[in-house]
Amino acid sequence: MIKFDGVTKVYGDKVKAVDDVSFEVPEGNIVVFLGPSGCGKTTTLRMVNRLESITEGKIFVNGTDVNSLNQIELRRNIGYVIQHNGLFPNMTIEDNVMAVPNLLSWDRKKKTDRYNHLMDLIGLNPDEYRKRYPHELSGGQQQRVGIARAMAADPPVMLMDEPFGALDPVIRSRIQNEFLQIQQEVKKTILFVSHDIDEAIKMGDGIAIFEGGKLMQYDSPSELLARPKNEFVREFVGQDRALKSLSLHTVKDLISERMLRKADGLQKHNKKTITVETNLRDALSILLNQEADQLFVQANNKLVGAMRIDDVEAYLHHHIK
Amino acid sequence: MNEIWNYIIENQASIGAYMLEHIQLVGLSVIIAIAIGLPLGIYLTTNEELAETVLQVANVIMTVPSIALFGIMIPILSIINHGIGFVPAVIALILYSQLPIIRNTYVAINNVDPHIRDAANGLGMSTMQRLLRVEIPNALPIIMAGVRQAVVMNIGIGAIAAFIGAGGLGVLINQGISRSNTTMVLTGAIAISILAIVADGLLGILQKRMTPKGFQQ
Ligand SMILES: Nc1ncnc2c1ncn2[C@@H]1O[C@H](COP(=O)(O)OP(=O)(O)OP(=O)(O)O)[C@@H](O)[C@H]1O
Ligand SMILES: [Mg+2]
């Protein structure tokens, strides 16, 4: 659990980068910091592991005031993924990933096992990359290694500053999915900086929107989309917030509210098949783009019915707006 | 040319001995200079004001003509009975080495990508761990370039050390001049050049070796 209590950061004696921010992040949650450039996301993040000093207020990690802890100990217990991945160019991938275990003097066997496990987790072959150097990897691979490095000593808390920032949309979406899957397994408490509302909706259990160092709203994604607290948040989440919130619902949710249509055998040449886990936004874009009039829905590899655009529309009207 | 060749053949033993003295003189002074300059250069990255002063002083020392520096040291070191000979020569060479070593160390450490330094801090490295594991390895090629420069320069300046009785290949030049023996002077000059070229080449190889493999060429 992470708790911000009236946290303020002043650079020099003028620039108020963070202004009296208070909120709590429950254990095992991902909270996304969102807001325009310069609104204080990175600064807020970096005060948690004391890479920036706290001017006023307090930050608690699992009930302990971070200022009361040894700075080095604190940082070793918090995984940190920096905005520009920051891999050490002089070290191999293995040495990069094992940077913290090396500081903690783990024995060789434990380190090798952990390295193999982490590389499997992030989808890179452990042996193939072991002796390679960061510059021999693509940007996406480097970012994944940066994440593995932050997770190496299994810290309960992670700070991630735009970890998927430099990626193209396709790879980005894939890595987001992979990361969410990993999170299901590891259940860490994560502060995640982004300036992409779609990423925030997808990744966050909660979203904290900042503007000029002030916390504008802190809520669950669906709450934020449904009830923006003020004009700034409304503008920031955009006109299409109803559409955006579709990505928070799956076909399963739709089924629980309304019956699916019978799969119409006659139109089988003009169909696409999706699973019940597909989110409604993706389902809608398939319907809009793929020129399929209906989608066949599968659960556990069995066809359970079909859906059309009007089903999504009706769901949107009745259950989201 | 033939004369020089004959001179070398006839005096192999003594030339070899001078060469060895020369190497000892330069080697010892550069090792001590590294032991002083490297930590000092690293320390200066944490103290900007002092850095400016120290680099300026090192700069000034560089501009003092070597013969004058040897001259200054004679009365000072006479107090401990080492006015001439090996000791003042080594001290002078250490002083001359400081600028390239301190400056390159300072610049190289300062130029380490701030994101990398930030990552090291964020992972919980202590200052010492950050220096040893991240900053120095990444700065090493530039630091080595400074050492290389110091060595080559000192091989040249070391020739003048013979004038205060420190031995080395400068003896050939010194004696050659006083005996108007051009062959001797040339032999000394050529030997010093060869020594400098060989040292430069070897250190170049070492510098490449010490460049972390992960660096893009
Ligand atoms: N070291 C510093 N010294 C002075 N001002 C700073 C410093 N770091 C950040 N600031 C200022 O504090 C404010 C918040 O910066 P911060 O880096 O937290 O923004 P951000 O929300 O992470 O922006 P971005 O999305 O561009 O990364 C900015 O106005 C910035 O100029
Ligand atoms: Mg930032």
Side-chain angles (χ1 to χ4, degrees):
Chain A
M1 198 234 7
I2 303 170
K3 182 174 166 193
F4 290 77
D5 187 7
V7 173
T8 296
K9 172 72 188 184
V10 183
Y11 284 114
D13 41 31
K14 279 213 188 76
V15 187
K16 218 172 205 181
V18 177
D19 191 357
D20 193 17
V21 165
S22 301
F23 67 104
E24 267 180 53
V25 181
E27 200 170 322
N29 273 21
I30 299 181
V31 165
V32 181
F33 292 2
L34 202 58
S37 190
C39 67
K41 306 181 292 291
T42 298
T43 306
T44 307
L45 196 73
R46 287 164 62 88
M47 284 188 287
V48 177
N49 63 358
R50 290 175 57 195
L51 284 171
E52 301 291 353
S53 61
I54 301 164
T55 311
E56 242 176 84
K58 283 196 163 125
I59 298 176
F60 299 88
V61 174
N62 293 324
T64 315
D65 181 350
V66 293
N67 271 337
S68 73
L69 294 169
N70 173 292
Q71 184 168 298
I72 304 254
E73 289 295 310
L74 173 75
R75 290 176 188 165
R76 287 184 189 169
N77 284 308
I78 297 179
Y80 180 47
V81 183
I82 77 166
Q83 203 161 354
H84 310 269
N85 92 46
L87 295 182
F88 305 126
N90 57 310
M91 293 185 195
T92 61
I93 298 305
E94 181 172 28
D95 286 341
N96 264 288
V97 174
M98 287 296 104
V100 179
N102 278 331
L103 294 174
L104 300 172
S105 312
W106 286 13
D107 67 51
R108 182 180 294 266
K109 167 105 180 58
K110 192 173 169 193
K111 279 194 291 196
T112 311
D113 289 348
R114 184 69 182 152
Y115 167 78
N116 291 339
H117 175 71
L118 285 167
M119 291 300 274
D120 284 337
L121 212 56
I122 58 165
L124 296 176
N125 183 315
D127 293 321
E128 192 184 332
Y129 290 93
R130 192 183 305 275
K131 293 286 167 250
R132 289 220 211 161
Y133 286 89
H135 78 84
E136 298 170 313
L137 271 60
S138 74
Q141 291 169 335
Q142 288 182 22
Q143 287 199 312
R144 281 190 268 176
V145 173
I147 293 167
R149 178 176 68 179
M151 293 179 19
D154 204 14
V157 175
M158 303 253 295
L159 311 176
M160 307 178 75
D161 200 345
E162 303 201 25
F164 311 136
L167 303 178
D168 68 72
V170 178
I171 297 182
R172 183 177 208 186
S173 161
R174 207 182 65 217
I175 295 184
Q176 287 169 343
N177 293 336
E178 284 167 8
F179 187 76
L180 284 174
Q181 215 148 18
I182 296 172
Q183 167 68 355
Q184 298 247 316
E185 215 173 294
V186 295
K187 284 272 166 245
K188 300 198 177 294
T189 308
I190 298 174
L191 301 182
F192 185 114
V193 174
S194 175
H195 53 234
D196 175 5
I197 174 84
D198 292 312
E199 180 171 70
I201 294 169
K202 182 170 179 180
M203 306 297 291
D205 298 303
I207 298 179
I209 294 202
F210 292 86
E211 152 74 346
K214 289 204 172 65
L215 181 60
M216 291 283 126
Q217 185 164 1
Y218 173 54
D219 261 317
S220 70
S222 54
E223 190 61 25
L224 193 90
L225 289 168
R227 275 173 285 277
K229 264 191 186 151
N230 55 42
E231 200 48 45
F232 174 80
V233 177
R234 200 188 321 280
E235 288 252 322
F236 196 84
V237 297
Q239 298 299 318
D240 54 346
R241 60 197 167 87
L243 263 180
K244 281 181 175 130
S245 64
L246 272 181
S247 60
L248 294 167
H249 301 256
T250 62
V251 177
K252 213 182 235 161
D253 300 328
L254 184 140
I255 294 175
S256 70
E257 300 293 343
R258 45 190 291 126
M259 298 273 288
L260 281 182
R261 290 151 193 272
K262 281 222 176 85
D264 185 344
L266 292 177
Q267 294 195 18
K268 266 193 176 153
H269 60 282
N270 193 16
K271 55 117 184 166
K272 272 217 121 178
T273 307
I274 57 172
T275 67
V276 286
E277 277 85 26
T278 312
N279 77 51
L280 289 178
R281 194 175 181 184
D282 290 345
L284 184 63
S285 49
I286 296 171
L287 284 165
L288 290 171
N289 299 333
Q290 307 282 334
E291 293 173 5
D293 321 325
Q294 46 185 329
L295 290 172
F296 282 27
V297 181
Q298 279 190 339
N300 304 321
N301 285 326
K302 283 223 302 266
L303 197 59
V304 294
M307 57 185 279
R308 295 188 186 197
I309 286 192
D310 12 330
D311 296 313
V312 182
E313 198 181 352
Y315 183 82
L316 191 61
H317 280 300
H318 291 108
H319 305 287
I320 295 183
K321 270 193 171 166
Chain B
M1 213 57 210
N2 251 340
E3 276 167 55
I4 295 172
W5 192 241
N6 287 338
Y7 181 84
I8 293 173
I9 306 271
E10 277 164 31
N11 298 281
Q12 278 180 36
S14 62
I15 295 175
Y18 290 143
M19 176 87 75
L20 203 65
E21 272 176 9
H22 209 99
I23 293 171
Q24 279 172 344
L25 185 66
V26 173
L28 184 66
S29 58
V30 170
I31 288 170
I32 297 174
I34 293 172
I36 300 169
L38 190 74
L40 188 54
I42 291 169
Y43 172 72
L44 291 181
T45 59
T46 64
N47 191 334
E48 206 124 313
E49 279 162 42
L50 188 63
E52 215 157 283
T53 317
V54 170
L55 287 175
Q56 227 139 45
V57 170
N59 234 329
V60 169
I61 292 176
M62 278 284 266
T63 61
V64 178
S66 44
I67 201 91
L69 189 60
F70 288 130
I72 295 167
M73 265 184 318
I74 293 174
I76 298 175
L77 289 174
S78 290
I79 301 168
I80 55 163
N81 266 331
H82 281 291
I84 56 169
F86 194 71
V87 175
V90 168
I91 291 176
L93 294 188
I94 291 171
L95 288 175
Y96 281 122
S97 307
Q98 290 306 298
L99 182 67
I101 293 176
I102 296 176
R103 185 193 52 206
N104 280 37
T105 305
Y106 174 76
V107 169
I109 299 274
N110 255 350
N111 280 358
V112 170
D113 182 351
H115 299 313
I116 293 171
R117 183 174 294 122
D118 203 49
N121 287 332
L123 294 180
M125 289 191 192
S126 66
T127 307
M128 205 32 115
Q129 287 165 334
R130 191 187 67 218
L131 267 171
L132 293 178
R133 289 167 199 239
V134 178
E135 289 177 332
I136 292 180
N138 282 291
L140 210 50
I142 297 177
I143 295 175
M144 272 306 295
V147 172
R148 196 170 155 191
Q149 199 184 335
V151 168
V152 172
M153 191 180 69
N154 278 359
I155 288 174
I157 298 175
I160 297 162
F163 286 86
I164 55 165
L169 289 165
V171 173
L172 291 173
I173 297 175
N174 195 6
Q175 291 184 359
I177 291 172
S178 53
R179 295 180 201 167
S180 303
N181 183 339
T182 323
T183 312
M184 234 173 138
V185 175
L186 278 176
T187 306
I190 291 169
I192 287 169
S193 307
I194 291 173
L195 189 60
I197 291 167
V198 170
D200 189 49
L202 288 178
L203 287 170
I205 294 169
L206 188 64
Q207 187 180 350
K208 265 214 181 102
R209 284 263 173 98
M210 289 170 97
T211 303
K213 281 200 209 69
F215 282 19
Q216 255 162 317
Q217 252 61 58

